[in-house]
Amino acid sequence: MYKNIIKHLKNNPNGCSLKQNGNRYIPTYHGYFIALTDNKFKSINGQIINRVKKQAKKIGVKNWYYGYWADQKTGFNYLDVAIFLTDKIEALKTAKKYNQRAIYSTKINNSIYL
């Protein structure tokens, strides 16, 4: 499974969302992805993927995704436990609760900063 996840991340250098089984997740309706963790790295490996899985278990969230994005300014990449919500207010509240700086809107295909 790690190879599948790594392949998707390398094929989507700006970012993507993956299901827990490592396949791409593209929602069929508009909503917001919210990261619940902060895992910064320069090069992806199995340890980082394993860390994300452990974090999801510790948080206790069942419907989570691998949320990946690249910060062009710093050169760092992030792979986090992410959830998908359809309500913007709930998404913003959740982002604040988990000390995030932004949520990702599938409608505008871009980040909304808090």
Side-chain angles (χ1 to χ4, degrees), residues 72-114:
Q72 302 301 325
K73 292 179 186 175
T74 64
F76 283 106
N77 300 292
Y78 294 84
L79 184 67
D80 297 309
V81 174
I83 59 172
F84 183 77
L85 300 173
T86 56
D87 182 84
K88 185 176 182 180
I89 293 172
E90 186 179 351
L92 291 168
K93 284 181 184 177
T94 302
K96 286 180 186 176
K97 177 181 175 183
Y98 286 93
N99 298 313
Q100 298 301 312
R101 294 181 294 160
I103 60 176
Y104 186 82
S105 168
T106 61
K107 184 174 184 176
I108 63 171
N109 224 13
N110 211 339
S111 297
I112 298 172
Y113 290 87
L114 284 82

